[in-house]
Amino acid sequence: MNSITKRVLIQVLLVILLIAVLIGLFFLGIFIGYVYVGKGQSSDAFNPATWQHILDFVK
């Protein structure tokens, strides 16, 4: 592999890593916001019925 190919591969891997970290932080934020700030139960943080109720409330 030449130098340019390695550089492109490293940049693509860094972008993929960044996206994975951002998705993880998004879900961590949902959990912290629902459980600690919103005083909800941790078992309901990712329950689809809970989020459907929230979306219905916002509409």
Side-chain angles (χ1 to χ4, degrees):
M1 289 174 54
N2 59 19
S3 174
I4 295 174
T5 306
K6 281 184 180 180
R7 220 176 330 154
V8 170
L9 181 62
I10 290 173
Q11 287 179 349
V12 168
L13 290 175
L14 285 175
V15 169
I16 292 171
L17 179 65
L18 177 66
I19 291 171
V21 167
L22 289 176
I23 290 171
L25 288 174
F26 175 74
F27 284 111
L28 181 65
I30 287 174
F31 184 79
I32 290 172
Y34 188 80
V35 175
Y36 294 107
V37 176
K39 305 297 184 202
Q41 294 181 1
S42 62
S43 61
D44 290 338
F46 296 108
N47 187 354
T50 302
W51 292 101
Q52 186 61 46
H53 175 70
I54 292 171
L55 289 176
D56 290 341
F57 182 73
V58 172
K59 289 180 185 179

